[in-house]
Each structure stands twice: as C-alpha cells, then as structure tokens.
Amino acid sequence: MRASLITILGLMALAPAAYAKPELDKLTLPPGFHIAIYSDKVPDAREITIGGHGTVFVGSSDTGKVYALTDSDGSGKADKVRVVASGLTQPIGIAFKGGDLYISAISRIVVLRDIESHLDDPPKPELVTDKLTRDTQHGGKYLAFGPDGKLYVPIGAPCNVCDQKGYAKLTRMNTDGSGVEDVALGLRNTVGFTWNQDGTLWLTDNGRDMMGDDLPSDELNHVTKPGQHFGFPYCHQGDTLDPDFGKGKNCADYTPPALKLGAHVAALGLRFYEGKAFPSDYRQVLFIAEHGSWNRSTKSGYRVMSVDIQGDRVSDYKVFIDGFQQGEQAWGRPVDVQPLADGSLLVSDELAGAIYRVTYTKPPGAPKTDAPKTGKKPGK
C-alpha cells in the first residue's frame, strides 16, 4: 500500500500543471488602453527581459525552464515559443547583456552565450557562479543589469522573519561572478528592481506575514546611496517595530519606504515607462506587478499598479490593470512588466501561464494628452 501511494504521488508530480485560462474580458484598464494575449504557452511565467534583436525571454518557477518568444511578422503576438534552457531550479530571474542571457537558479547563475543566434539550438549553460545562498524559501533571484554594467542579485531572507547574517539584501557583481558587494540592506525579499532616468535604483520589497490583515505593508524603496538599510527584520514599513526583533530598535535609524504599497499585495516586477505610445501622462510612470496575497482573510493585490514619481517623491499610486481577482477567486497572478520597443507593455501571468500585451488607442473625442502632469496624493 505504501509503495502504491509513492507511485501515485510520483505520477502526480510528473503530471502537467493545470493553468487557469486567461479571462481578458474580466480585466479593466484606463480608457483607450487594450490588453491582448501575446502568448498563452509560457507555464509559470515570471521575469521578462528583451534581447538585442527583440526576442522576449521569460523565466519560470516550477517548470525549471526559460522561454524565448518571437513575433516574426510584427503582429503583436508571439508566433513561436522556444525552450532555451530546462532542468534548472526556479530560474525566475533572467537578464540580457552583450548578446548573452544570464539566468538565476537559486544558488547558481548561468549564462547562455550569443543566445539570439542559437534559439533553435541553444548552447549549454555556462556557470557564472555557484556561491549564492541555497535556501529555497525566498531563494528565487530576480536579475537585472544596472547602469554601471554590473549584475544585481537579491539575497532574500530564508524565513518569514529572522535575523541571519548574509541575507535580506541586494548585491551586485561583475559578469564573471567576481567582485560581489552589498548595495542595500534590510530587504526581506525584493523580487523587482529598476532604474529611473536619473540613474537611481527603485525596488519592491515584500513585507513579513503573520501580523494580521493590514500589517505590514509591502514597500517601494528608493536607493540613493550604497549601504542603505530599509529596516528588516527590526522595523517594517518605516514606522512599525517587529514584535520579536524590534526590541531596543528605533525605526528612525532606518530608511523609510518611498511608498507603502499595501499589506500582502506581493509587489514584484517593476519598470519605468519610457516609450511614446502611451499618453504623455504615462512618461516615466513606474508600473508594478502585484502577485497577490495569501496571508490575508480577504485577498489583496492581483493587479498592475502605476506610480507617478516627481523627482524622488511619489505623487500618485493607482490601479492600472484590475480584474485578475473575481471575488475571492483569482484566475491570474501578475509577476513582471516589460515595455517593448514599440511602446507597448508586456505583463507576465504565472497562474495563467501567459504573457499579455497592453497597447493604447486614443478614444474618439478624448482630450489632448500632452498636458503636463499634476501632482496628486498617493492612493492606498
């Protein structure tokens, strides 16, 4: 009987995952914006990056694969989806530089050389480093190259809340894995970071669980100098001491968030919009994918948000795409956002195994959109 149970469990593990069907008719966007399926053949879709020739690369979680999507006829929809790497452990993070695709796999980073010349016969991954933390809790590592040419790699806390040396931070390294140094500290789990046109770093950070429905908030943090400490595990959301690790600490000793994003929304990938296809009010707007809550009596997140930033100050925070959650049921979980060269915006959806493309068409009779932005108070 025990052997039969093991066999059944093994077959279940090998069975293909069931993915929710995209329900785009349930989604709402601002007037003039449209969303369509770019590809619905990307299981466990996570981080998105763009190759030098326009190939859309997508990491994944449980499938252990990295995908390459191409739109050869310019239709706005991928007509071919290739697997360029497989058998990796949670390759959620990918970054492209100099023709090469860098991929995270928990404790390792590997690279596919000259990948866009070998989409149909991808090269064997080369090891960049195998000296990263091996923990699987918060062990998936988002990747991005900074303006300094270095590869940025987060090291998430291996727990809900704990104080362990060498964790809860953002690091950077050279492309060969050497020269590792800390960039920012006190970050429980950042799964998204990007740079503004002024070269400063902005990142999301997921707050701890088990403090109730409304505490603590996820954070949007602004890194203005190396070595800033954003509070974890001692202080959360800039003003709330941890009930266990906050004793004897003062929140004033840590850098507060630029914006509280809401408790348990699971804010992940983010990018600044620098295209010209959207109305001018969206120039340099920061789009954030919110994966959605689990540690909450009623769900929160499951949407894409937009953040207006004036200099180093947030002036507005509002919903851009909503409807992935219907009541207390969710059919989609946004993970990352990525503008394309044509000004459209891609959104990855892990739960539906899909990539969506957002475009804009000026509605008939709509007012001109070239007026300057007006400052607004951030929403909740």
Side-chain angles (χ1 to χ4, degrees):
M1 181 175 178
R2 183 171 180 270
S4 299
L5 178 60
I6 292 173
T7 301
I8 292 170
L9 292 174
L11 291 172
M12 289 174 63
L14 293 172
Y19 293 93
K21 180 180 178 181
E23 300 180 40
L24 299 192
D25 59 318
K26 303 285 181 63
L27 297 179
T28 59
L29 295 88
F33 286 93
H34 312 276
I35 189 166
I37 293 174
Y38 188 77
S39 174
D40 57 2
K41 297 177 174 60
V42 193
D44 288 344
R46 298 285 297 197
E47 185 178 0
I48 309 170
T49 196
I50 309 299
H53 300 302
T55 307
V56 175
F57 294 101
V58 186
S60 72
S61 50
D62 292 342
T63 63
K65 298 177 181 178
V66 177
Y67 306 91
L69 285 60
T70 50
D71 174 13
S72 60
D73 59 4
S75 65
K77 184 175 182 178
D79 48 45
K80 194 161 189 179
V81 178
R82 303 170 174 90
V83 174
V84 294
S86 60
L88 300 173
T89 305
Q90 293 188 33
I92 70 167
I94 53 174
F96 186 89
K97 183 177 177 60
D100 302 331
L101 184 67
Y102 292 76
I103 306 167
S104 69
I106 304 292
S107 62
R108 301 186 300 144
I109 294 176
V110 297
V111 60
L112 303 179
R113 303 290 186 192
D114 193 23
I115 181 60
E116 286 183 292
S117 299
H118 304 282
L119 294 177
D120 290 315
D121 57 336
K124 182 179 178 180
E126 295 180 15
L127 182 67
V128 173
T129 182
D130 59 0
K131 302 184 185 309
L132 302 176
T133 54
R134 299 177 180 275
D135 311 86
T136 54
Q137 184 170 4
H138 303 148
K141 296 171 174 67
Y142 186 98
L143 299 179
F145 279 99
D148 54 11
K150 293 182 181 289
L151 181 61
Y152 284 65
V153 184
I155 307 296
C159 56
N160 174 35
V161 58
C162 56
D163 189 2
Q164 291 197 33
K165 187 177 180 180
Y167 291 88
K169 61 184 180 178
L170 178 65
T171 68
R172 64 183 174 187
M173 64 181 66
N174 298 321
T175 54
D176 62 359
S178 66
V180 179
E181 58 184 340
D182 293 342
V183 176
L185 307 172
L187 301 169
R188 178 176 177 268
N189 186 34
T190 177
V191 193
F193 38 91
T194 192
W195 287 262
N196 203 347
Q197 59 184 356
D198 63 6
T200 60
L201 174 63
W202 294 77
L203 55 86
T204 55
D205 189 27
N206 288 187
R208 64 158 291 181
D209 298 313
M210 308 304 177
M211 282 183 65
D213 276 3
D214 301 317
L215 284 174
S217 178
D218 283 5
E219 300 175 2
L220 173 64
N221 291 315
H222 186 201
V223 181
T224 57
K225 60 183 179 181
Q228 282 174 281
H229 197 297
F230 291 91
F232 181 86
Y234 317 114
C235 175
H236 307 293
Q237 65 177 40
D239 58 13
T240 302
L241 290 173
D242 187 84
D244 298 314
F245 295 94
K247 295 174 183 177
K249 303 294 184 179
N250 187 340
C251 283
D253 293 333
Y254 307 105
T255 303
L259 178 65
K260 298 177 186 179
L261 299 173
H264 309 297
V265 298
L268 302 185
L270 71 168
R271 297 290 197 300
F272 284 96
Y273 182 77
E274 298 177 347
K276 298 181 179 179
F278 292 180
S280 59
D281 279 354
Y282 287 87
R283 305 282 164 77
Q284 290 303 312
V285 155
L286 183 63
F287 288 111
I288 301 177
E290 294 185 351
H291 196 225
S293 61
W294 70 269
N295 182 228
R296 205 167 188 278
S297 60
T298 57
K299 284 182 168 59
S300 61
Y302 303 95
R303 58 194 182 183
V304 176
M305 305 295 290
S306 67
V307 181
D308 280 343
I309 297 173
Q310 305 294 325
D312 61 355
R313 184 180 63 86
V314 172
S315 62
D316 197 13
Y317 173 54
K318 59 189 176 185
V319 176
F320 181 65
I321 306 175
D322 204 1
F324 293 101
Q325 171 189 337
Q326 300 292 315
E328 286 301 297
Q329 298 296 318
W331 62 263
R333 301 194 77 180
V335 174
D336 200 15
V337 290
Q338 175 66 66
L340 289 177
D342 65 2
S344 60
L345 180 73
L346 297 182
V347 179
S348 61
D349 180 348
E350 182 180 35
L351 185 56
I355 306 293
Y356 310 120
R357 179 171 174 261
V358 179
T359 56
Y360 177 79
T361 304
K362 183 179 177 181
K368 293 183 179 180
T369 59
D370 55 359
K373 293 182 182 179
T374 57
K376 301 175 183 178
K377 293 182 179 180
K380 293 183 179 179

